[in-house]
Structures are given as structure tokens and as C-alpha cells.
Amino acid sequence: MAGNDLGSLLGGLLGGGGQGGSGGAGGILGSLLGALGGAKSGGADGANPLGGLLDMLTRSGLVDQAQSWVGTGENQPVSGAQIADALPDDTLQKVAQDAGVSPQEAADRIAQSLPQAVDKLTPAGSVPQGSLEDIIRRQQL
């Protein structure tokens, strides 16, 4: 499944090595981005839901946090409650189910790992073009 492949890639990017299991940070983010990629996210490139996720967070009032992750400065933290408020309920439910945790636990895990993941996926201070899998592979070289 694409979410598991994406989770493994994100796990490696975040320093998790081959531990991209569904409960790990990479698995949670892979499931989230997979769910958003499969949904009508409104992004210009369906293969890269990262831009759509950042737009969703920005519309939810997390402008400063999202910009800090993409920018080259220090990453601002975000709470699980803020993530839960920003994501559609059905998306968070699916991510939680995939990971075998409660929606609140899934939101907390996303909040812990998303700033670092976005920071690493946007080293030039902007969301790169191309599929998310290709972007992650380029970052790991």
C-alpha cells in the first residue's frame, strides 16, 4: 500500500531507519499524507499532498507554525489539539485507525513529527515540485 511505502520513506527521513511501522512517526505521517492525497485536497499536484496539508493548516490559523517549518529558521511547535482542530475528522479517524491508536494520540504524534518532516522536505524554503516519494528520496541522498 502506498501509505506504508510513504511511511517507510518518511521514517527514514526522520531518522527512524527501517522502522516505518504504522505506529511510528513515519507511518503516522505516511497515513496522513496518503489520506489527504486520496481525498479531494484541492492541491495542484495530487501526487504531492504536502502543499494541500500546509494550506489546510494555514486556513486553520497555524500560519506562523507552517511558515516556520517551510522557512529556514527555527521550527515553531504545534499541539495535538491544534492538529486535531485543523484536520478533517474523517482524516484523523482514518490515520488513527491505520496506526491503531486513538484520534487524540494520532494528533499528538502528528504534532510531534510534522514540523521536522516539513522542515526536511522543504530545505530551500518552499514546497518542492514533484511527487512526494521522489522528494523524499532526493532528500535522503
Side-chain angles (χ1 to χ4, degrees):
M1 178 178 252
N4 284 341
D5 293 344
L6 186 55
S8 294
L9 288 170
L10 284 165
L13 182 71
L14 294 171
Q19 298 174 309
S22 62
I28 289 273
L29 292 179
S31 180
L32 171 63
L33 292 170
L36 291 173
K40 291 184 249 176
S41 61
D45 182 358
N48 184 353
L50 183 60
L53 173 60
L54 292 173
D55 288 344
M56 187 181 303
L57 295 173
T58 298
R59 286 192 306 269
S60 297
L62 300 175
V63 177
D64 293 339
Q65 290 92 332
Q67 287 178 346
S68 76
W69 307 338
V70 174
T72 55
E74 186 174 333
N75 294 332
Q76 292 185 15
V78 65
S79 71
Q82 290 172 305
I83 292 294
D85 287 343
L87 295 177
D89 287 340
D90 58 335
T91 299
L92 189 55
Q93 292 286 342
K94 179 177 180 349
V95 171
Q97 182 179 7
D98 289 350
V101 298
S102 71
Q104 186 56 53
E105 176 68 17
D108 289 343
R109 290 184 186 185
I110 291 166
Q112 290 171 359
S113 55
L114 189 60
Q116 180 186 6
V118 172
D119 186 53
K120 288 184 180 246
L121 291 170
T122 59
S126 64
V127 178
Q129 298 297 312
S131 79
L132 197 52
E133 287 85 354
D134 288 345
I135 294 166
I136 294 167
R137 287 188 177 102
R138 282 195 304 262
Q139 296 304 321
Q140 289 182 326
L141 293 177

